[in-house]
Amino acid sequence: MEQDTQLQVQGDPEPVRDPHRSLHSEMGARPGEHSGRSGNPLVKVAGLAWLEFEKPDLDRAERFYADFGFTVADRTPETLLLRGRWASTACLVVRRGPRPRFVGPAFQAAARDDLDRLARGSAGTVTAHWGGHGVLMRDPSGYPVRVIHGVPELAALPERAALPMNAGDFGQLGSGPVRVNATQRPARRPAQIQRLGHVVLGTTRFGAALDWYLDTLGLIVSDFLYLDGQRDRGPAMAFIRCDLGSVPSDHHTLAMALMPQTGYLHSAYQLTDIDEVAASGEYLREQGYRHAWGLGRHIQGSQIFDYWRDPDKAMFEHYTDGDMFDCTMAPGWAPLSASGLAQWGPKATAVFTGANDPRVVVAAIKALADKGNEIDRHALRGLIKAMGS
Ligand SMILES: [Fe+2]
């Protein structure tokens, strides 16, 4: 369903063309397409709690994470726990492992009873976990997915307040500028990460994985992307949020994309404002880290973003000013393309899309041979076209 794309400005007889007319998130589902939510989910999780990784060299990992803006919550010879500044559990759990890899996500249950419901529904068991309880399941992509409840939160840490901006109509309505006789000097230092925002995963079993997260964890879709010219196949990417009813939730807590290889794509961490994103990016550049893409503003989620790769090439995003949706927003539908991921900013790089990674070709050949997944020649052609357009 196409919505009205003309805006009427009060007192102006001429309608003003909506600058987002060409931004396809304005488009809704066609009859019969995926509704983006389950009719009867097992539970509705309250949020993303943390992400689990393995790294062979925890010292090197700690250096990058500290430079990226995390605070160390705990460190043992085998485990590194990292946190943001808002009151929460640790948001990254890094264990020593033989090779660098993403293990899986942990979600926060809304109630203790929900763990029992999940355990019954997945033939799993509720066990004690870090001072609370958890249940471990496996999604159709093969990721271990933990849902936890009652794990104690770490107290909030001090952080820089958002900068006062002489922006908008200051001085026009008698209010005056918000900043007088004072300068702006955001520090060029590691970011102060506030919290974990979202994780983005690639999967060769997109449809099955999508339905599992909606049916099992009660997540709902904010935006679908489809392969251009292949909309009849259904979506190939989904931006998925928590259903908190009337309470606004991040536009996406989880995003998943059909890919020739199942794997972690990136995770994103909220900063207080655009100066924090830009100035901490300068710091990372000075330390010699590999920049992947940014600054820019996304379309799906509207975040101002900046992407970096850690020394093992895993991608991490700083963002600020993301959309918050309550449960009333229906999913948007749009064609998938690299250029369609941002409203403004530099062109998406091959470092970001992974198009320059020779392992993608090997993965594609393997995925084509595996009849148990959703990768066929049409899908592959559509994905290659999307990355280059
Ligand atoms: Fe992101």
Side-chain angles (χ1 to χ4, degrees), residues 198 200 252 266-268 298 303 307 317:
H198 61 260
V200 183
H252 51 284
H266 73 262
S267 52
H298 278 308
Q303 303 95 336
Y307 288 88
E317 175 187 3

Side-chain angles (χ1 to χ4, degrees), residues 338-371:
S339 62
L341 295 175
Q343 307 189 43
W344 56 259
K347 197 172 180 294
T349 63
V351 177
F352 173 79
T353 63
N356 62 350
D357 187 343
R359 290 172 301 183
V360 173
V361 178
V362 178
I365 293 166
K366 267 194 192 164
L368 281 173
D370 175 4
K371 298 293 176 226

Side-chain angles (χ1 to χ4, degrees), residues 168-250:
D169 66 355
F170 77 90
Q172 297 295 309
L173 302 173
S175 56
V178 296
R179 200 180 71 254
V180 178
N181 299 336
T183 58
Q184 292 288 42
R185 298 288 184 272
R188 193 180 289 195
R189 48 141 177 77
Q192 295 183 346
I193 286 174
Q194 295 177 318
R195 65 181 179 102
L196 166 63
H198 61 260
V199 61
V200 183
L201 303 174
T203 173
T204 59
R205 289 162 170 80
F206 172 81
L210 171 68
D211 287 343
W212 186 86
Y213 280 97
L214 307 192
D215 291 337
T216 311
L217 303 188
L219 302 179
I220 56 178
V221 175
S222 297
D223 273 294
F224 279 127
L225 301 181
Y226 54 87
L227 299 176
D228 199 13
Q230 300 184 46
R231 185 164 173 167
D232 291 348
R233 292 178 67 100
M237 182 165 189
F239 296 84
I240 313 166
R241 70 184 183 277
C242 293
D243 181 355
L244 306 182
S246 60
V247 176
S249 176
D250 288 321

